[in-house]
Each structure stands twice: as structure tokens, then as C-alpha cells.
Amino acid sequence: MLPSPPASSVNSPSAARNVLLQPRSRPLRSGSSKESDFINHVEEKLLAISRRYENRFSATLSEEANPDVEGRGYKNIGEEIRDLDPVADIIWISGTQDLLIQIASLQIAFLLTIALTMMTSLPCFPFMPRPTFQLLHKLDLMFASLLRGVSVGTGEPLPGSETGRSKLSTTEKVRMRGIVERTRVAIVEVAGKDGSLADVSTASQSKLTDKEDDFNMTTEDEDMDVLENENSHRRWEMDIARVYERTIVELGIALDASGPGIDGWVP
């Protein structure tokens, strides 16, 4: 069972990374041509990402020779994140909160799709800490801001939430909680799979041995490299504990305020 992140860590220095882009001052007008263009664009991007994910590890020799070929399957999760990240930014900038039928918000529906895609993809690729934590941290900031109704970075109300209150439904909050909790479990399992994090030190030691043979490194140089690697190792471990930390705090507040009857969620 994963421990809840400490409240003090919500304001930790690492939380300052990946500051969110400034959203539109007003949401796209419901039913407008711009909103339709936005929906079509995001859906096309997400469909293309889904197809590349389904074709992962199945690139032909010609596709391997030309990594920019359209529709080539992903070779690692970093490539998938490279496609997901700008889509998340577009969704955030749009400030679009209402569908034509007032059931769910466009922003949260699309962002939950991206979060679900990440959760599903994590076990299917070798673990890549840096891009993984960067996108998960960005999603954390977005979800926490939407739950508050204000930007967690600036404190300013989000477009369509001028009262500073969240417009997310209880159903959306419960679905978000399911994805968040399962992602936190998945990243612990993936990071520890086959010693993904533990092998960092082993690989570094091997590199040091090679360098010593070639360049006659001093003991001081070796100690410095090992120290840097150990610090990196600890940083990834800390980042694992901080996955969706802000969202967890905000969900706890929001769902507690919603009252009983929220535990029978369906992800």
C-alpha cells in the first residue's frame, strides 16, 4: 500500500517544475466552430497516439531507417510522451470546460484520457524516469488546478471558474481518483521491475571501470561520479512518492466534501 505524500511536500522545490502555460482568458464558446476544430484536432492526435501505441515494437526495417515515418510504432515510452505532452498543453490552453450537452468537461475528459494512456503504457515499456515524471507532474498540476478552480501556480481563477470553485462532477472526481491511485501503484511496480532503479548504480559503476581503464581516473573523480549517481537515484525515488501528490490532496478535500456514496467508483 502506498503512503500518502506528506503535506509539506506539496510545496517542495520540485513542484515548481513544468509551470503550466497561460490558458485562454475565456473558454472556447460552446458549439462554436473553434470548439469543433479543437475537439477534432485533439481527437485526431489521441487516435494517432493510440495507433502508434498499438504498433509498438513492430516497426519494419524501412521504418527503423526512417524514424520520422508517420504511424511508426513507439519504441519506448519517451516517444509516446513526446506526442502526449503537447496535446496536454493544447487542452490546458483551450480553457474549454463545457460540452454541448452539460455532462462533462472537455478539459477533464481529454486530460483523463491522457492520464489513462500513461497508466496503461507504463508497464508496456522500459522505465524512463525523466520524461515520465515530467508529464505526470504536469498532469498533477492540471488536475489539482481544475479541482480547486484556480491555478495552483498563480492562484488566479481558471477560465469558466471565475468564482474560484471547481466545476468537476463527483463522477469525474471519482474516476480521476481511480486513475491516480492505479498510476501510483503502476509506477512503483515498473520502477522496481528488473531492478530498474537499482541498476542505475550498477551501470554507473561499470562505466567508471571502463573510464578508469581508458583515462586513469583518480579516486576523487570516481567518488564524485558515484555520489552524483546516488543523488540521482534518490531523486527518482522521491519523484515516485510525489506522483500526483497535489491531486491526491485536492481529491481528498473535494470527495470528503461530496459526502458518502462515492466508493463504488468505476475507472
Side-chain angles (χ1 to χ4, degrees):
M1 183 173 181
L2 288 171
S4 297
S8 60
S9 71
V10 174
N11 294 316
S12 63
S14 65
R17 295 172 299 170
N18 294 342
V19 175
L20 298 178
L21 299 176
Q22 181 67 35
R24 292 171 53 93
S25 58
R26 292 182 179 276
L28 294 173
R29 185 168 54 85
S30 180
S32 66
S33 59
K34 286 186 177 180
E35 185 189 59
S36 296
D37 291 341
F38 163 74
I39 294 173
N40 291 336
H41 176 77
V42 172
E43 287 181 342
E44 287 175 2
K45 291 292 185 181
L46 292 177
L47 179 59
I49 291 170
S50 176
R51 286 173 175 167
R52 291 193 65 186
Y53 169 77
E54 292 299 329
N55 292 329
R56 63 191 181 281
F57 305 137
S58 61
T60 64
L61 291 177
S62 61
E63 289 173 339
E64 289 285 356
N66 182 11
D68 296 325
V69 66
E70 185 176 357
R72 177 182 61 82
Y74 293 122
K75 293 191 296 183
N76 56 63
I77 198 169
E79 291 185 342
E80 186 175 22
I81 291 172
R82 188 169 57 201
D83 287 346
L84 286 170
D85 187 76
V87 179
D89 285 337
I90 291 172
I91 296 167
W92 179 253
I93 292 172
S94 74
T96 301
Q97 299 222 357
D98 297 326
L99 288 167
L100 296 178
I101 303 176
Q102 306 295 319
I103 297 177
S105 74
L106 281 173
Q107 270 189 326
I108 197 61
F110 282 140
L111 289 175
L112 284 175
T113 297
I114 291 178
L116 182 61
T117 299
M118 278 296 295
M119 183 195 78
T120 304
S121 299
L122 279 170
C124 299
F125 295 102
F127 185 47
M128 297 182 68
R130 191 179 302 278
T132 299
F133 289 133
Q134 286 178 346
L135 180 55
L136 289 178
H137 180 69
K138 178 179 288 189
L139 290 172
D140 185 31
L141 293 178
M142 291 177 177
F143 287 150
S145 296
L146 288 169
L147 285 163
R148 283 191 191 183
V150 300
S151 169
V152 295
T154 65
E156 297 178 358
L158 300 178
S161 300
E162 280 70 22
T163 59
R165 298 180 61 183
S166 171
K167 289 189 175 183
L168 273 68
S169 68
T170 299
T171 300
E172 291 168 333
K173 294 171 186 175
V174 170
R175 185 174 179 229
M176 182 187 295
R177 183 179 72 176
I179 294 174
V180 164
E181 290 178 348
R182 290 163 65 188
T183 301
R184 282 171 58 82
V185 171
I187 201 162
V188 170
E189 293 176 347
V190 172
K193 186 177 181 181
D194 299 324
S196 295
L197 284 179
D199 284 346
V200 173
S201 296
T202 304
S204 179
Q205 291 282 12
S206 176
K207 289 180 180 178
L208 285 176
T209 302
D210 292 341
K211 287 180 180 179
E212 184 176 8
D213 291 339
D214 293 340
F215 303 108
N216 194 26
M217 290 180 66
T218 66
T219 301
E220 184 178 351
D221 290 334
E222 292 178 19
D223 291 342
M224 182 63 68
D225 278 358
V226 171
L227 178 61
E228 289 178 355
N229 182 73
E230 289 176 348
N231 290 337
S232 177
H233 178 81
R234 285 194 292 269
R235 184 177 73 250
W236 296 139
E237 290 182 331
M238 292 174 63
D239 282 335
I240 289 172
R242 290 170 177 162
V243 168
Y244 286 129
E245 61 175 359
R246 290 174 178 265
T247 304
I248 291 172
V249 173
E250 296 300 329
L251 278 172
I253 296 171
L255 291 176
D256 285 345
S258 299
I262 61 169
D263 290 330
W265 59 272
V266 178

